[in-house]
Amino acid sequence: MLSRRDLRVIGGIGTLLWGSQFSGAIDVTVSDNNSLKQAAANAAYGMVTYYKGNETGMIPGELVPPNYWWEAGAMFGQLIEYWSLTGDSTYNDIVSQGLLFQVGPNKDYMPPNQTKDEGNDDQVFWAFAAMSAAELNFPDPPPDQPSWLALAQAVFNLQTTRWDTTKCNGGLRWQIFPLNPGYDYKNTISTGGYFQLAARLARYTGNATYAEWAEKSWDWLQASPLITPTFQVWDGTSMDNDCANAAQTYWTYNVGTLLMGASYMFNYTNGNSTWGSRVTGLLSGSDVFFVQSADQNTPPQNPKGGGKIMAEVACEFPAKQTCDYDQPSFKAYLSRWMAVTTQMAPNTTGQIMPLLQASAEGAAGQCTGQPGGNTCGRRWYQTTWDGMMGVGEQMAAMSVFQNNLIGNAAPPVTAVKGGTSKGDPSAGGAGDGGSTTSPVYVHPVSTSDKAGAAILTALALILLLGASYWIMF
């Protein structure tokens, strides 16, 4: 593995490339793989300029403020996918360094420097990155480090202990600790992120227990007000009124995480029609995020969908420019999760790829800003740069460029089909607040397990009776 000094040298070389190879507006031809790879490389470099974790005195795995910790995990996941789709390993070392530095003492992405205000959604994005590393055969960590698969399993195990039935009959809270605002809010991205992770673990390992938790979390979401009968997906619901109604805000990553999980379950179940209907329904529900093209700086012609260009409708329109530092990255995840859906459920390709192609062309029109003439903005439905910039804007553009290459990519591997990452079903092991708890062990119970348990129970009973006899006499 390269040292920090080596990585700083790479950064210096990248700066020179930014001034030459990566200068000028991004021009994309969606039918040309080399054009897509160059566009993704350009956007990736612009994104990584916001990362200083490989520099002396900085913390590996953290973006520069005001960007949040969770988004660094999301960025590393996107860079793993960048490597897989383009073959460019430029960033692999900083990805491995960051993902392993932030695992925390229990190897479950609960590092002490973040746990004060870490949420379930924050944690699961790091698990997504680890899961992508396992599924795409990203170079394995050193032998003294946890495997990518084990890290994803550790997060699953810990989040399973947080399944909350005190109100609303289940689901995950947004926040982990009671003092944090949002502790009494059950949001789609937390339970939906857990659903996606369970579905991906089920497919990779073949272990039915993961699939059972995916089913359970989907059933809870569908019974809640968060998924409507027409597959509109809302943001969250309050425990104060026992989750009686939803906060009716649309975000791309909410429908995206459900689509990804549902497509994995469709694949895992060998094309089960119920999961197929859910995939189809969620694709229909995502239409609200695809607007019609517009000229220059006018708003989209139809902000309620019906077009082909992806938009974060809750916050990025000119009349309602309210996106915070998190939200500009959300389109990156929908782009990725829609692309993988075409691999898990190939019948969706004809519906999804025209949307990703039009969105890539729109994003290229936004990647004309300063400095360099290729800084990426937000409003892909406009043909001139909107003046916005940041790690989220770069990530979203990179993702939609590179995921147009999905047709040439092999599907995610599994433990029995090409996977090299070795798991640990009992990974993790310490609960929230440092108290020791038993992680959820997902080994299926076999006849031999039952026999062994019976023997152990009998032995324990004999020892207990013997001890009682000794005390009495």
Side-chain angles (χ1 to χ4, degrees), residues 86-358:
T86 68
D88 181 2
S89 61
T90 298
Y91 305 109
N92 284 13
D93 288 291
I94 63 171
V95 169
S96 293
Q97 181 194 45
L99 284 176
L100 294 174
F101 191 87
Q102 293 291 331
V103 297
N106 296 309
K107 311 297 188 288
D108 55 8
Y109 289 115
M110 291 286 288
N113 63 326
Q114 298 297 330
T115 50
K116 181 178 69 173
D117 50 15
E118 183 176 342
N120 282 305
D121 54 345
D122 303 327
Q123 186 185 31
V124 84
F125 268 91
W126 287 82
F128 289 161
M131 196 70 228
S132 290
E135 292 175 326
L136 300 176
N137 275 341
F138 190 70
D140 291 323
D144 62 339
Q145 296 290 332
S147 72
W148 303 127
L149 180 58
L151 287 167
Q153 290 171 310
V155 172
F156 171 86
N157 287 341
L158 185 53
Q159 293 203 346
T160 302
T161 68
R162 299 182 190 138
W163 187 262
D164 177 74
T165 57
T166 58
K167 284 188 176 181
C168 312
N169 299 314
L172 289 183
R173 296 172 184 260
W174 177 21
Q175 295 299 314
I176 297 170
F177 299 110
L179 294 180
N180 288 336
Y183 182 71
D184 292 328
Y185 188 66
K186 292 187 175 180
N187 61 345
T188 300
I189 194 58
S190 294
T191 304
Y194 175 79
F195 162 65
Q196 181 194 145
L197 181 61
R200 293 169 72 176
L201 284 168
R203 181 180 178 274
Y204 189 98
T205 67
N207 194 311
T209 305
Y210 293 120
E212 290 166 6
W213 276 101
E215 292 268 9
K216 183 174 183 176
S217 50
W218 173 271
D219 289 346
W220 183 85
L221 285 160
Q222 193 164 48
S224 79
L226 298 180
I227 303 176
T228 74
T230 57
F231 289 93
Q232 303 299 304
V233 179
W234 302 125
D235 183 65
T237 182
S238 175
M239 297 172 64
D240 293 340
N241 62 0
D242 203 31
C243 302
N245 47 51
Q248 296 188 356
T249 305
Y250 293 116
W251 297 110
T252 50
Y253 74 165
N254 283 330
V255 71
T257 194
L258 300 185
L259 178 64
M260 180 77 153
S263 70
Y264 265 76
M265 290 302 293
F266 176 78
N267 188 275
Y268 171 79
T269 58
N270 297 312
N272 175 273
S273 60
T274 298
W275 284 111
S277 296
R278 291 165 179 169
V279 170
T280 301
L282 289 165
L283 276 177
S284 177
S286 72
D287 179 70
V288 68
F289 300 109
F290 291 90
V291 301
Q292 298 177 24
S293 60
D295 295 326
Q296 299 301 319
N297 293 315
T298 59
Q301 298 168 17
N302 183 3
K304 293 187 178 180
K308 292 184 177 181
I309 299 175
M310 194 183 301
E312 199 63 65
V313 297
C315 70
E316 75 174 34
F317 290 162
K320 189 182 180 182
Q321 184 53 248
T322 58
C323 296
D324 63 15
Y325 288 104
D326 286 336
Q327 294 151 3
S329 73
F330 289 0
K331 290 184 292 187
Y333 320 129
L334 181 57
S335 294
R336 174 61 184 174
W337 296 335
M338 290 184 81
V340 178
T341 294
T342 68
Q343 295 181 308
M344 297 295 106
N347 60 301
T348 63
T349 302
Q351 183 176 355
I352 288 174
M353 291 313 299
L355 302 177
L356 294 182
Q357 290 166 353

